[in-house]
Amino acid sequence: MAKKTIQDVDVTGKRVLVRVDFNVPQDENGNITDDTRIRAALPTIQYLVDHAARAILVSHLGRPKGVDEKLRVDPVAARLQELLGRPVRKASDVIGPAVAQQAAALKEGDVLLLENVRFYKEEEKNDPEFARQLASLADLYVNDAFGTAHRAHASTEGVAHLLPAVAGFLMGKEIEYLGRALANPERPFVAVLGGAKVADKIGVIENLLGKVDSLLIGGAMAFTFIKAQGGEIGKTLLDADSLDVARETLEKAKARGVQLILPTDALAADRIDASANTRVVPAGQIPDGWAAVDIGPEAARQFAAVVSGAKTVVWNGPMGIFEVPPFAEGTRVVARALAEANALTIVGGGDSVAAIEELGVADRISHVSTGGGASLEFLEGKVLPGIAALEEK
Ligand code: ADP
Ligand code: MG
């Protein structure tokens, strides 16, 4: 799945429509509280500036229903201007004659940010006429918004069929790392999966079962498997609808010779609260009225050992309720093992990424995916429409 990137085409002098993911969190006053996503797009934007292209950026922000004054992208333009250290113009709209004029007036190295693309319902409907109007602004399309690549919207998919279409640096890195892990992993290849519900991750489990050497399962999810095997899980969060799927998965793993490892012990708590009473118990013997809130120390050591011996590791889903500090140890131990492993390490998923950032090890992971839902769908082996529409190398 080698896709053309911005470096495979000539951008000089061209008007380049760039789909970025500037969907940043804001406080009540519209102040941007985390500009990671803007920073993540800088290499592509800087490259276009350095190569005398005329950059026309487009993103969604929030979930507007029609025009929403609170979700205009002016604060994003202002922050981008600061980070880029050069003027960023802000268009008054996404499409239309005024925008066309602003796009046409751009000089080499100029940057224009269009208004919130989701002000138009045509965006999410992938309306062909809307896509055509977007495309008419530019000579070339660059998709750098991996986080929305799993959606076939006008600015992520429709427009890619109307212009030469390539990946930006951020998108290129996602495709390269996630693609390499799935298509051509150095072995042993280990997947660590956690989180709340089996149902959310079953697609990933099924796809990875056909590829990995070992599958480590933690989080609440592990206890649905343990329950399916007849264990006692007390009041641990149970995904009751997935008990059969869990049983089938255990059988499939056995049939395929994949080592599927569940936690042997657990941290049990009498409440989901930092001041709860806790004790370490065997994973299948959670006392009545207590819940497993983390994998236990023995399981954490075992998971870390398997990760340490791996050459490729994919991690999605925390090992416990890491948001509550006393329940974060399993996640911490596994995160540290990834950071120290002599392996290609990839972390995807909103909460998993938050966990490794909080633990301060993100910079020691080979690739931290910027797309929550998109990285999950990629790991499920699905074709992401925003990627599929880009030109092959
Ligand atoms: P990601 O966003 O990385 O894909 P998920 O959203 O699937 O991860 O799972 C994260 C959530 O799972 C966290 O909110 C965490 O508290 C929860 N979780 C993990 N282990 C448990 C557990 N033992 N009991 C209840 N919730 C859990
Ligand atoms: Mg999540």
Side-chain angles (χ1 to χ4, degrees):
M1 203 172 33
K3 293 293 181 179
K4 272 193 193 166
T5 75
I6 197 166
Q7 286 175 298
D8 297 317
V9 290
D10 183 17
V11 300
T12 304
K14 300 251 173 77
R15 286 177 306 150
V16 184
L17 180 70
V18 190
R19 178 53 159 101
V20 283
D21 180 1
F22 286 166
N23 184 28
V24 290
Q26 290 172 283
D27 66 17
E28 323 71 67
N29 303 317
N31 300 309
I32 295 169
T33 52
D34 180 353
D35 63 5
T36 306
R37 285 180 170 162
I38 304 177
R39 290 173 189 275
L42 287 177
T44 294
I45 301 167
Q46 189 66 54
Y47 181 90
L48 291 172
V49 168
D50 292 346
H51 289 77
R54 305 159 206 260
I56 304 163
L57 313 179
V58 61
S59 177
H60 73 288
L61 177 62
R63 297 172 176 273
K65 301 202 178 3
V67 175
D68 182 338
E69 292 305 323
K70 287 206 184 94
L71 291 173
R72 290 198 181 274
V73 296
D74 299 66
V76 176
R79 179 62 61 90
L80 176 61
Q81 174 159 310
E82 265 169 52
L83 293 170
L84 209 54
R86 59 185 297 130
V88 172
R89 289 145 214 257
K90 159 74 199 342
S92 50
D93 203 335
V94 184
I95 52 167
V99 177
Q101 224 164 51
Q102 283 179 294
L106 291 174
K107 301 202 172 51
E108 295 189 347
D110 280 354
V111 179
L112 173 71
L113 176 62
L114 303 183
E115 188 47 277
N116 189 343
V117 70
R118 286 201 191 158
F119 283 1
Y120 286 83
K121 62 179 183 331
E122 290 85 349
E123 159 68 355
E124 291 185 86
K125 291 192 174 141
N126 200 359
D127 179 79
E129 176 54 24
F130 182 70
R132 200 193 56 73
Q133 292 210 44
L134 271 177
S136 72
L137 299 174
D139 312 305
L140 171 71
Y141 171 73
V142 173
N143 192 343
D144 213 19
F146 179 72
T148 46
H150 57 316
R151 306 277 182 237
H153 294 167
S155 72
T156 63
E157 204 269 347
V159 73
H161 296 292
L162 304 171
L163 290 171
V166 301
F169 288 111
L170 180 61
M171 176 70 95
K173 187 168 181 260
E174 294 278 2
I175 298 174
E176 184 194 327
Y177 278 90
L178 292 169
R180 201 198 307 169
L182 293 187
N184 195 14
E186 212 185 318
R187 294 184 182 280
F189 178 15
V190 174
V192 187
L193 298 177
K197 285 177 74 179
V198 177
D200 290 347
K201 303 291 164 81
I202 193 64
V204 177
I205 295 176
E206 299 220 317
N207 190 40
L208 292 182
L209 263 186
K211 302 179 187 293
V212 298
D213 301 293
S214 306
L215 181 58
L216 309 177
I217 299 184
M221 200 163 91
F223 295 88
T224 297
F225 282 86
I226 287 166
K227 171 91 176 169
Q229 289 177 317
E232 298 291 340
I233 66 164
K235 61 170 186 185
T236 307
L237 182 64
L238 170 68
D239 182 1
D241 294 336
S242 297
L243 286 167
D244 287 339
V245 172
R247 250 173 247 122
E248 284 160 28
T249 303
L250 290 163
E251 274 159 30
K252 273 187 210 158
K254 200 184 268 173
R256 289 191 192 154
V258 172
Q259 189 185 28
L260 190 155
I261 304 178
L262 294 167
T264 48
D265 62 350
L267 182 73
D270 61 352
R271 279 173 300 129
I272 311 300
D273 188 283
S275 61
N277 295 304
T278 60
R279 47 180 143 134
V280 173
V281 296
Q285 296 173 36
I286 310 298
D288 266 354
W290 290 56
V293 293
D294 193 6
I295 59 174
E298 183 184 275
R301 265 197 302 279
Q302 187 191 13
F303 282 23
V306 175
V307 164
S308 302
K311 282 287 166 205
T312 306
V313 187
V314 169
W315 182 19
N316 170 271
M319 296 293 99
I321 308 176
F322 75 100
E323 301 94 332
V324 181
F327 308 159
E329 187 60 18
T331 301
R332 195 175 298 135
V333 169
V334 172
R336 215 177 288 135
L338 254 82
E340 284 163 12
N342 181 19
L344 177 80
T345 50
I346 297 173
V347 177
D351 292 292
S352 317
V353 170
I356 58 150
E357 277 170 356
E358 218 173 280
L359 299 171
V361 300
D363 58 341
R364 286 149 74 204
I365 304 295
S366 314
H367 180 63
V368 179
S369 180
T370 53
S375 59
L376 267 188
E377 290 199 18
F378 200 114
L379 294 176
E380 286 172 16
K382 286 192 184 151
V383 174
L384 277 50
I387 295 177
L390 303 177
E391 286 170 26
E392 298 288 330
K393 254 207 181 135

